[in-house]
Amino acid sequence: MKNLKALSFELRKNVLDMIYKAKTGHIGGDFSVMDVLVTLYFKQMNISPDNQDDENRDRFVLSKGHSVEAYYSVLAAKGFFPIDEVIEQFSTFGSKYIGHPNNKLPGIEMNSGSLGHGLPVCVGMALAGKMNQKDYRVYTVMGDGELAEGSVWEGAMAAGHYKLDNLVAVVDRNRLQISGGTEEVMAHDDLDARFGSFGWHVVHADGNNIDALNVAFEEAKTVKGKPTVVIADTTKGCGVSFMENQAAWHHKVPTADEYEKATIELAEKKEAALHE
């Protein structure tokens, strides 16, 4: 597990390089969600370049598609495409590595970025799995600001109704969105009561702790007759001190000085994780 913790900081550095070179990107949300993606792709999900066309592969949708830089970094580490190519081409004219997930790329199930779509689509995927008697599991990651979209709750209602215990939704609960704090923009507490009222099993986890996330996803596998939501309590900008808990870093490009400082911090944290 300590190697995965170190990997999460290495992949944050890839994100930093991507955004610094392209001069665009959603670095705060990338850093908050990175540990969730690392845990899913390297500990939990049955998905790899070798089985990406297998009908029984697990499905994943990044509903908060603006955090695509983190997604590209993880998919590259998993072997779907080369990271050097992503860093060089991200958000350049004509590039396939655009600013939101694009299912013309290997490993990406659906285009996303129109907030509120991921959960309803995953409900359909999970329901199809039940109807076709497949064993695959379906995962989606949503931003907490995204929960203001009504289609999220239509999907939640349907998932509860159909008792989709092969479905896991993750809320990246960093409590910040582009226009400020979520509780000031559109309050979401109490999420336990809201998801519970639609028949979901609710789990809380430290969303920047791979061990805690792994425990939460293992618990979800034991739940029968209802979908599970993991409320992943995260820190926006996690990993770089001056980015943490700052709404301004939702979409911001580091200066040369900030890039150097962030590079040093991420290297130090990677090294510390390897020697825990």
Side-chain angles (χ1 to χ4, degrees):
M1 294 296 282
K2 71 179 182 181
N3 288 336
L4 290 187
K5 293 174 187 177
L7 178 65
S8 75
F9 293 112
E10 179 181 322
L11 299 189
R12 283 178 172 91
K13 175 58 165 58
N14 291 342
V15 167
L16 179 68
D17 290 345
M18 248 180 265
I19 290 173
Y20 184 68
K21 185 179 186 303
K23 304 304 179 190
T24 186
H26 293 82
I27 198 164
D30 288 326
F31 283 8
S32 70
V33 80
M34 182 62 80
D35 301 293
V36 173
L37 299 182
V38 167
T39 306
L40 285 173
Y41 273 89
F42 290 92
K43 287 296 290 184
Q44 290 293 322
M45 294 196 304
N46 173 32
I47 181 65
S48 73
D50 296 330
N51 75 345
Q52 60 184 308
D53 297 320
D54 189 327
E55 288 186 359
N56 225 21
R57 71 190 182 280
D58 288 338
R59 271 73 166 167
F60 174 80
V61 173
L62 183 65
S63 190
K64 50 170 284 180
H66 53 280
S67 289
V68 71
E69 300 90 3
Y71 194 21
Y72 286 159
S73 190
V74 169
L75 287 174
K78 192 72 177 176
F80 284 96
F81 37 73
I83 188 59
D84 291 346
E85 183 177 280
V86 183
I87 293 171
E88 183 64 27
Q89 298 180 13
F90 175 63
S91 278
T92 58
F93 180 74
S95 173
K96 56 189 175 183
Y97 301 108
I98 59 176
H100 286 85
N102 158 29
N103 66 4
K104 292 182 180 178
L105 288 172
I108 296 180
E109 296 284 350
M110 68 167 278
N111 298 349
S112 62
S114 296
L115 298 178
H117 289 189
L119 180 59
V121 169
C122 285
V123 168
M125 291 177 175
L127 186 57
K130 291 287 189 182
M131 294 172 69
N132 293 332
Q133 298 182 318
K134 300 295 183 182
D135 295 327
Y136 66 76
R137 296 179 66 76
V138 183
Y139 297 85
T140 186
V141 172
M142 302 179 287
D144 50 2
E146 180 178 1
L147 301 185
E149 299 285 354
S151 52
V152 169
W153 301 105
E154 293 177 48
M157 178 168 54
H161 174 77
Y162 290 110
K163 305 183 188 305
L164 299 179
D165 50 20
N166 57 343
L167 173 65
V168 178
V170 182
V171 177
D172 181 13
R173 190 74 166 113
N174 59 42
R175 295 181 174 270
L176 289 172
Q177 57 194 97
I178 193 167
S179 47
T182 55
E183 300 314 289
E184 287 71 46
V185 176
M186 185 63 69
H188 298 312
D189 287 332
D190 177 357
L191 288 180
D192 296 59
R194 294 185 188 191
F195 276 100
S197 70
F198 288 114
W200 287 62
H201 177 68
V202 182
V203 184
H204 280 263
D206 178 345
N208 295 127
N209 182 309
I210 291 172
D211 295 294
L213 286 165
N214 199 52
V215 169
F217 290 127
E218 286 298 319
E219 179 178 330
K221 290 177 180 177
T222 70
V223 175
K224 303 302 178 187
K226 56 174 63 178
T228 294
V229 59
V230 177
I231 310 298
D233 295 306
T234 63
T235 299
K236 195 141 192 166
C238 179
V240 175
S241 59
F242 59 85
M243 296 182 186
E244 291 183 351
N245 282 318
Q246 301 297 316
W249 282 100
H250 178 88
H251 187 282
K252 186 178 178 182
V253 178
T255 64
D257 184 54
E258 289 168 335
Y259 173 82
E260 292 301 325
K261 290 178 180 176
T263 296
I264 292 169
E265 284 197 32
L266 292 172
E268 290 174 346
K269 287 184 169 66
K270 176 183 175 181
E271 191 66 19
L274 286 171
H275 292 91
E276 283 184 353

